[in-house]
Amino acid sequence: MHRIGYLLSDGFQMMALATQSVFEHANAVIADAFYHFELFSVDGGDVRSSAGFPIGTRVARSTSKVDTWLVAGVSDPISEPPPARMAKLLRQGSAHAQRIAGICTGGFVLAEAGLLSGRRVTTHWAFATQMQDRFPDVVIESDRIFIVDGQIWTSAGMTAGLDLALAMVEKDLDLEVARTVAHMLVMPQRRSGGQTQHAQMLRLAPKTDRIQTALNYAQQNLNKTLGVDELAQAANLSPRQFHRLFMQETGKSPAKAVESLRLEAARLMIERSRHTLDVVARETGFRDRRHMREVFLRGLGVTPQAVRRDARAP
């Protein structure tokens, strides 16, 4: 049995508790009560959620029998600092727990406890700068879904906590269990920790259905050449109209946008599969492996080999 303790404080984000569904469904998949979870707070009793209603909790102690502490974030960690005893409890409890995780701005509590010093962490993008200013010894990677650095796990905001929980299930059980849970929860994909908080389709943010249709077509046909004429046809526009509207709505040329989609798809394929880099380059529409390497260095600052090495690191 793996015991999970949710550590809550007044104003905690309800989204953190959605991760319980991940562990609940993992138990269902393996037909065993592997995960057992409880709600804790410093003083016990009712704790007010971000939505304003109370949730009952037990008193948390550093000696509580917990394998994984999950610390829920609050809406504004600057104006709503957690109780000082909360950080002390985690600092002492880290000696007994297998891992400690901060969901969204829950990472601020871990930083207050001194558990993030010198570690790579992430948090909600809206509070990354404040975290770096307040804790200069922490290595913030603000554009990551979640990060695992030794015993410490941190996630970005909101739904990223689900991805962190799925990664825990994969580590504790196996990849197929995590995939099955994601499917049961109707999650579109099991995002890796290295994935950006802002997918390229969200970054491009087209304003009209026609440009969105062209982007959807591009994403589904990355192994093709995808010139302006082909994309314009998918959007039912002339090439000249299409290029002008595309630039207006996305701020990028069609070629640059397609390159961004190729880069994202290739990175995910490298992280999640064992295909050779030549196959990845071909399937995602790069001219060859060398061309893919150039785009990786320009867009991510790392080589495809480095991405694969990091993905396979324990």
Side-chain angles (χ1 to χ4, degrees):
M1 181 174 67
H2 189 96
R3 295 157 299 195
I4 297 176
Y6 284 81
L7 189 56
L8 311 180
S9 59
D10 275 334
F12 75 91
Q13 279 286 338
M14 286 296 297
M15 194 69 194
L17 298 187
T19 56
Q20 291 184 6
S21 293
V22 173
F23 304 117
E24 174 191 353
H25 283 77
N27 285 346
V29 170
I30 65 173
D32 185 24
F34 177 77
Y35 289 110
H36 174 75
F37 38 88
E38 293 184 273
L39 306 183
F40 293 90
S41 65
V42 172
D43 296 314
D46 287 347
V47 175
R48 178 182 55 82
S49 72
S50 57
F53 56 82
I55 297 287
T57 64
R58 292 182 56 194
V59 176
R61 306 185 191 283
S62 60
T63 56
S64 297
K65 293 181 178 180
V66 171
D67 298 304
T68 294
W69 283 109
L70 284 175
V71 184
V74 295
S75 298
D76 187 348
I78 307 303
S79 60
E80 300 178 81
R85 287 179 296 158
M86 197 172 181
K88 181 180 179 181
L89 183 150
L90 286 174
R91 187 163 54 248
Q92 295 174 342
S94 64
H96 307 287
Q98 292 181 22
R99 61 191 172 211
I100 298 179
I103 300 177
C104 190
T105 57
F108 277 77
V109 185
L110 275 60
E112 290 281 2
L115 299 176
L116 303 188
S117 181
R119 293 186 183 273
R120 296 170 51 247
V121 304
T122 190
T123 189
H124 193 295
W125 60 266
F127 294 99
T129 300
Q130 290 96 319
M131 177 177 273
Q132 190 67 85
D133 291 342
R134 189 168 176 179
F135 306 103
D137 59 339
V138 174
V139 183
I140 308 292
E141 296 187 19
S142 60
D143 205 26
R144 293 291 171 253
I145 295 295
F146 66 86
I147 290 177
V148 181
D149 190 335
Q151 179 196 21
I152 303 301
W153 296 52
T154 52
S155 83
M158 302 302 176
T159 59
L162 298 175
D163 298 289
L164 178 140
L166 280 171
M168 289 181 176
V169 169
E170 179 180 339
K171 180 175 176 60
D172 298 336
L173 300 173
D174 63 44
L175 175 59
E176 284 308 312
V177 173
R179 283 177 173 167
T180 304
V181 171
H183 184 61
M184 293 175 72
L185 295 177
V186 199
M187 294 177 67
Q189 59 180 349
R190 190 186 63 82
R191 298 183 294 181
S192 65
Q195 185 169 343
T196 176
Q197 292 189 33
H198 307 284
Q200 289 301 325
M201 290 292 269
L202 290 177
R203 288 178 184 271
L204 293 169
K207 299 179 178 61
T208 62
D209 290 342
R210 287 189 174 186
I211 301 302
Q212 181 68 63
T213 297
L215 284 170
N216 289 341
Y217 176 83
Q219 195 168 46
Q220 295 164 13
N221 295 274
L222 289 176
N223 59 340
K224 296 183 178 180
T225 304
L226 296 177
V228 170
D229 288 350
E230 187 174 357
L231 294 175
Q233 185 176 3
N236 198 26
L237 293 167
S238 71
R240 185 175 180 180
Q241 284 179 308
F242 174 75
H243 192 279
R244 177 175 55 81
L245 284 175
F246 197 97
M247 289 291 295
Q248 285 179 355
E249 294 190 21
T250 69
K252 283 188 175 185
S253 68
K256 283 295 183 184
V258 169
E259 182 178 275
S260 297
L261 293 175
R262 294 193 200 283
L263 175 59
E264 182 175 64
R267 180 175 54 76
L268 291 175
M269 194 172 177
I270 288 170
E271 290 176 344
R272 298 177 181 181
S273 76
R274 293 188 175 275
H275 291 303
T276 67
L277 296 182
D278 289 316
V279 169
V280 173
R282 182 172 65 249
E283 290 296 315
T284 52
F286 291 101
R287 291 193 300 272
D288 50 33
R289 179 171 169 171
R290 182 177 179 179
H291 178 218
M292 182 172 72
R293 186 178 189 276
E294 293 171 355
V295 174
F296 265 69
L297 286 172
R298 184 166 61 246
L300 300 177
V302 295
T303 64
Q305 291 92 334
V307 171
R308 172 150 286 172
R309 185 170 58 249
D310 289 346
R312 291 180 177 177

